[in-house]
C-alpha cells in the first residue's frame, strides 16, 4: 500500500522496518512502485529503475526474508493520475490519450492541485513503456523480491488503456477489446518471459470508477477476455479488488467468470474480515484473501485473527505522511 515514506523516491531503512514488521503475512504485496520516472505521479512514492532504488529494495527484501516472509513488488505506473510537481526532472505525464483524470492530487511543494492533462503516448512510447515494466520486474528480482504484481487496477496507466473513456487511440493499443487489452497483456507476457510466469501476478478492479476512470459498457467482456488470455500465459495469480463488482449482479457473475477462466491462484480483496475471508475461500473459489487497511494498522494481523484479538484502528491522518508516526509504531502483540 502506498505510504509515501520513500523520500527522494528511494526505499529506505524505515520502509525495511515497516515491511519486516509484517513478515508474518503469507505473502506481502508491496506498495505501488514506479517502473520509470514517468510513473511517479504521487509525492514520495518509490521507483525501481535506478541503482540506488534497487539497493534500497534489497534491504526490504532481506529484512522480510530474514523473518521468514515472502514479498512481491507491485509495479505501479500512475500515468495521468499525476502532477508535475511530484515528478523528477525530465519525467513527463503520459497516458493512452490526452484526456484528464480530473482529480485532486497532493504535492509537497504546491499543496492540493488538479491532476494535469497527460500527453498521449506515441506507439513507440507505448512499446518503450512496456519495456520499462519488464526491466523493472528484472530489477525487482535482482533486489531479491519473490515476484512482481502488475498493478492494472484503480485507474492507473494499465487501467487507462483498458477503458475507452481514457483510451481513444486508433493504433493497435486502442479501439477493440483486444486492442485496449494489448498493453496489459504484453506487459504480462513479456514480464512472465523475463522473470518467470510463476513470479508474475496482476491486479484488477473491474467496475471501480476510482481515480476518474469511470464506468464503461464492455467491462464484463473485457475482463472475461483478459482472464482467459492470462490463463494462456500461465501467470501465478489474479488479484481482484472485488468491492465494486460485488455491488452489481453482472459484477458478481464476472467474479465467477474470472475464477472459471483462470486456473492460477485467485486472490480477492476489499473489506474482508476473518469470517468473510473464510466464506470466500470455502464457497467462492478464492485461494487467498488480501488484507489492506487492517494489515497497515496491525503488523501482527495473522496472530490477531488466529487469536480473535481486537484490531488496532487505522489512523487515516498518517496514511501518506513522511515519517515513522502512524507507520512503524502500531501496537504489535506478537513482537
Ligand atoms: C493508504 C492506502 C494506500 C493504498 N495503496 C495501494 C497501492 O499502492 N496499490 C494498490 O493496489 N492498492 C492500494 N490501496 C488499496 C488497498 O490495497 C486495498 O485494495 C483497499 O484498502 C481495500 O482493502 P481493505 O478493505 O482490506 O483495506 C491503498 C489503500 C490505502 C488505504
Amino acid at each position: 500500500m502506498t505510504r509515501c515514506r520513500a523520500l527522494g523516491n528511494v526505499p529506505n531503512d524505515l520502509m525495511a522496518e515497516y515491511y519486516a514488521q509484517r513478515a508474518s503475512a503469507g505473502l506481502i504485496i508491496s506498495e505501488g512502485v514506479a517502473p520509470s520516472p514517468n510513473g511517479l505521479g504521487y509525492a514520495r512514492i518509490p521507483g525501481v529503475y535506478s541503482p540506488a532504488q534497487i539497493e534500497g529494495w534489497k534491504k526490504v527484501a532481506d529484512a522480510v526474508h530474514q523473518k521468514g516472509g515472502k514479498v512481491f513488488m507491485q509495479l505501479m505506473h500512475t500515468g495521468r493520475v499525476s502532477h508535475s510537481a511530484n515528478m523528477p526532472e525530465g519525467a513527463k505525464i503520459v497516458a493512452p490519450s490526452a484526456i484528464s483524470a480530473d482529480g485532486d492530487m497532493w504535492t509537497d511543494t504546491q499543496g492540493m492541485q488538479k491532476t494535469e492533462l497527460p500527453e498521449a503516448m506515441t506507439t513507440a512510447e507505448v512499446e518503450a513503456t512496456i519495456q520499462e515494466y519488464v526491466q523493472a520486474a528484472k530489477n525487482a528480482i535482482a533486489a531479491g523480491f519473490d515476484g512482481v504484481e502488475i498493478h492494472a487496477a484503480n485507474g492507473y496507466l494499465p487501467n487507462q488503456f483498458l477503458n475507452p473513456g481514457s483510451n481513444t487511440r486508433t493504433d493497435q493499443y486502442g479501439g477493440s477489446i483486444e486492442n485496449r487489452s494489448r498493453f496489459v497483456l504484453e506487459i504480462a507476457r513479456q514480464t512472465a518471459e523475463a522473470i518467470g510466469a510463476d513470479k508474475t501476478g496482476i491486479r484488477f478492479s473491474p467496475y471501480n470508477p476510482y481515480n476518474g476512470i469511470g464506468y464503461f459498457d464492455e467491462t464484463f467482456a473485457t475482463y472475461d477476455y483478459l482472464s482467459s488470455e492470462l490463463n494462456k500465459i500461465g501467470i501465478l495469480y489474479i488479484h481482484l479488488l472485488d468491492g465494486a463488482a460485488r455491488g452489481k449482479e453482472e459484477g458478481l457473475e464476472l467474479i465467477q467468470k474470472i475464477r472459471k477462466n483462470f486456473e492460477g491462484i485467485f486472490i480477492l480483496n476489499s473489506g474482508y474480515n476473518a469470517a468473510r475471508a473464510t466464506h470466500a475461500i470455502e464457497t467462492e473459489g478464492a485461494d487467498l484473501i488480501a488484507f489492506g487497511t487492517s494489515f497497515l494498522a496491525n503488523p501482527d494481523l495473522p496472530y490477531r485473527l488466529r487469536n480473535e484479538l481486537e484490531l488496532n484502528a487505522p489512523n487515516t491522518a498518517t496514511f501518506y505522511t513522511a515519517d515513522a508516526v502512524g507507520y512503524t509504531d502500531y501496537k504489535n502483540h506478537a513482537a
Side-chain angles (χ1 to χ4, degrees), residues 1-3 29-33 42 45 74 76 149 151-154 156 203 208 210 239-242 269-273 276 289-296 316 318-320:
M1 298 170 86
T2 295
R3 303 303 309 278
I29 301 165
S30 80
E31 65 203 281
V33 181
Y42 293 111
I45 63 168
Q74 185 184 63
M76 176 176 88
E149 174 175 291
H151 192 353
N154 291 353
Y156 300 114
R203 186 167 216 219
N208 185 350
Y210 189 65
H239 177 184
L240 202 68
L241 240 157
D242 65 17
N269 163 255
S270 89
Y272 282 86
N273 57 20
R276 276 199 64 214
I289 301 297
F291 293 91
T293 322
S294 50
F295 228 128
L296 177 160
T316 56
T318 52
F319 275 0
Y320 306 113

Side-chain angles (χ1 to χ4, degrees), residues 127-165:
E127 280 158 8
T129 304
I130 294 169
Q131 296 317 311
E132 289 173 351
Y133 274 90
V134 176
Q135 186 58 50
K138 289 186 193 167
N139 293 349
I141 298 300
F145 275 69
D146 298 293
V148 302
E149 174 175 291
I150 299 155
H151 192 353
N154 291 353
Y156 300 114
L157 185 65
N159 201 174
Q160 292 159 29
F161 272 89
L162 294 177
N163 192 317

